Amino acid sequence: MLAQRLIERKRDGGRLEAGEWRALTLAYAAGHVPDYQMAAFLMACFLRGLDREETSALTEAMLDSGDRLALADLGVARVDKHSTGGVGDKVSLVLAPLIASLGVAVPMMSGRGLGHTGGTLDKLESIPGFRTSLTLAEARTQLAAIGCVLIGQTKEIAPADRKMYALRDATATVESIPLIAASIMSKKLAEDLTGLVIDIKRGSGSFLPRLEQELELAETMIRLGADHGCPVVALLTAMDRPLGRACGNALEVEEAILTLKGEGPPDLLEVTYALGVEMLLIAGTAASPDDARRQMEKAIGTGKAAEHFQRIIEAQGGNPGVVEDPAALPQAAECELFNSPRRGFVARVEPRAIGRGIIALGGGRTKMEDRVDPSVGFVITARPGDWVEHGEPLATIFAHDRAGVESGKHALRLAIIIGDEADPPLPLVSHRVSGSGVELVPRP
Ligand code: URA
């Protein structure tokens, strides 16, 4: 195989056969194709696109570049949830223990925050002692014991994707639907799932801004799942404002714990339940959406879900005491209210500006090697559409020092827009996409 010929063919609008995808991907993972050739190839893919067979062949080649979990002998359904990422999105922290407490295995592989969005691994690592880098053997043992593991992409999983994703990040080739779908699905298929639920974010804080792109991503991942025997369902959910109130790693863990105890914000609970219904239905452990919802409400009401989170934290070396006493999480040195500069409607709470504000506070990263301060962030109580008086508190800033408080105020002035009127926010859950097509989700 000559990489140059394959680049040329893709550049000119041609297609690669499955064997060629495999040879190129495995050669790149093994270091036999240099980054400059793969970068040129990925740009050709970005500009020319991939058809269904090519997307499937790339997914399979990336999957086969590494190891997989083998979980069939657990004897239970295995379901994961993936989110395209947002601000304040701590759903995974609630959903994984909740669904595992109902007897479905959840091998959840998550990522770190990059750009304006947060990452589940950073949130989990704000729990003192929590280890997210388990080997596949450790992950398997924990799944057999307690039905849930919360880890990052291990070195063994889809190493070709790991290398290609880093290269795409550096060469402006991330925003290609077939490349995104193949990248995500190569990791998800390595988890040996019996089903996958995807949360595709919509609105100004999402990374795919147009509805057609969001639906196309959902449909591409559903087809890839179908090609590999893994049913996939996607929900499109709102990210035109942050989800819940807490934005920042330890603050989000605290809000997730409150939600597991039935005291979380209603929007977070609604999105969690909507995704949880799909997980239980795909697992075959609920007879209907109502049954699934009742099971989840009971697990939260009885304390079973929160207790399961304690077991997961303990199994992964963290301090399970944070569930009883969230004050054991890292605490910011400075904390100050942010008040409304005028009376009026809360017109917008812009997730990107909030995400950038968290980075400026030290709670996010612009480069993968950056360290994050888990204690900083915002708790935003103002919701789009609320009427507020001049001087009324809209949010609380949590910062490392006084300079951080000032930077937090600057971010909130840009993010929270008070006006004479407010546009209606996007519905929390707007579309459901499955192998049977796209359905509009009725408003509750
Ligand atoms: N997340 C991934 O894992 N891969 C992509 O390509 C984009 C988002």
Side-chain angles (χ1 to χ4, degrees):
M1 173 212 51
L2 244 187
Q4 200 179 348
R5 297 284 157 269
L6 301 182
I7 300 168
E8 215 168 63
R9 199 181 322 145
K10 214 17 145 181
R11 180 200 67 193
D12 295 341
R15 63 186 304 285
L16 272 60
E17 297 302 330
E20 293 172 320
W21 281 104
R22 189 177 182 80
L24 180 65
T25 307
L26 297 183
Y28 178 61
H32 303 321
V33 170
D35 279 351
Y36 57 81
Q37 283 192 312
M38 187 47 87
F41 179 75
L42 289 169
M43 184 56 83
C45 291
F46 180 91
L47 295 171
R48 292 295 191 167
L50 275 63
D51 67 23
R52 175 178 176 160
E53 285 76 29
E54 290 185 288
T55 312
S56 192
L58 171 60
T59 309
E60 215 148 292
M62 293 198 295
L63 176 62
D64 286 348
S65 70
D67 295 340
R68 308 172 192 213
L69 277 163
L71 300 175
D73 61 332
L74 291 183
V76 290
R78 286 108 43 205
V79 183
D80 191 4
K81 187 270 310 182
H82 176 83
S83 160
T84 57
V87 175
D89 181 5
K90 68 284 287 174
V91 170
S92 292
L93 303 180
V94 186
L95 204 47
L98 172 60
I99 298 301
S101 79
L102 294 169
V104 175
V106 183
M108 189 172 271
M109 207 184 302
S110 309
R112 297 196 178 277
L114 188 62
H116 73 281
T117 65
T120 299
L121 296 185
D122 297 324
K123 294 171 203 187
L124 287 167
E125 286 174 1
S126 71
I127 300 171
F130 198 101
R131 283 197 314 130
T132 57
S133 53
L134 271 53
T135 62
L136 284 188
E138 286 172 323
R140 204 187 174 294
T141 306
Q142 185 173 318
L143 272 167
I146 57 172
C148 184
V149 65
L150 303 172
I151 53 170
Q153 181 179 6
T154 71
K155 285 195 194 65
E156 303 121 296
I157 296 272
D161 165 69
R162 179 190 276 268
K163 222 177 145 184
M164 275 196 215
Y165 189 27
L167 191 61
R168 285 168 55 215
D169 195 35
T171 56
T173 48
V174 169
E175 295 88 350
S176 149
I177 288 174
L179 295 182
I180 296 170
S183 164
I184 294 171
M185 290 302 289
S186 66
K187 289 170 281 211
K188 295 295 159 188
L189 293 169
E191 294 174 14
D192 196 13
L193 301 174
T194 55
L196 172 66
V197 175
I198 305 173
D199 179 3
I200 298 190
K201 298 295 182 192
R202 292 184 64 194
S204 55
S206 70
F207 85 119
L208 288 177
R210 295 203 319 273
L211 179 61
E212 314 85 79
Q213 296 172 305
E214 290 145 7
L215 291 173
E216 191 186 331
L217 179 63
E219 282 158 357
T220 308
M221 292 209 268
I222 288 165
R223 277 199 304 268
L224 283 174
D227 288 348
H228 295 89
C230 174
V232 176
V233 171
L235 296 183
L236 269 53
T237 73
M239 188 39 67
D240 55 342
R241 70 270 190 191
L243 185 61
R245 301 184 194 111
C247 301
N249 295 305
L251 295 167
E252 293 190 42
V253 171
E254 180 170 353
E255 187 167 88
I257 291 169
L258 281 177
T259 307
L260 281 165
K261 293 177 176 173
E263 295 155 26
D267 60 340
L268 174 60
L269 201 57
E270 246 355 272
V271 172
T272 303
Y273 279 153
L275 292 161
V277 162
E278 299 300 341
M279 288 176 84
L280 293 177
L281 289 176
I282 228 169
T285 58
S288 65
D290 284 347
D291 176 34
R293 182 145 177 157
R294 268 194 303 273
Q295 289 188 36
M296 289 187 283
E297 283 170 351
K298 189 163 168 210
I300 287 184
T302 57
K304 189 166 133 180
E307 195 187 309
H308 217 90
F309 194 33
Q310 264 174 329
R311 295 174 68 194
I312 297 164
I313 295 172
E314 192 162 22
Q316 294 191 222
N319 173 8
V322 298
V323 176
E324 289 305 325
D325 178 17
L329 289 163
Q331 302 291 316
E334 298 283 343
C335 140
E336 191 167 309
L337 285 176
F338 176 78
N339 300 325
S340 181
R342 55 165 282 195
R343 74 196 304 252
F345 285 104
V346 178
R348 290 200 308 278
V349 180
E350 272 300 335
R352 277 178 195 267
I354 299 290
R356 284 194 287 263
I358 296 173
I359 295 172
L361 287 173
R365 46 171 87 73
T366 50
K367 299 187 297 304
M368 227 45 217
E369 353 20 296
D370 291 347
R371 282 179 65 83
V372 299
D373 178 346
S375 69
V376 300
F378 306 104
V379 171
I380 304 167
T381 43
R383 311 299 302 162
D386 287 353
W387 173 265
V388 291
E389 294 297 334
H390 179 217
E392 188 175 325
L394 302 177
T396 309
I397 301 164
F398 294 83
H400 177 66
D401 52 22
R402 292 306 305 165
V405 171
E406 291 311 313
S407 131
K409 283 186 194 165
H410 175 70
L412 291 180
R413 276 195 288 269
L414 296 175
I416 308 181
I417 310 298
I418 310 294
D420 295 331
E421 48 194 41
D423 290 338
L426 287 172
L428 263 182
V429 183
S430 62
H431 297 72
R432 177 181 189 273
V433 194
S434 69
S436 326
V438 182
E439 297 159 63
L440 282 177
V441 174
R443 283 181 188 244

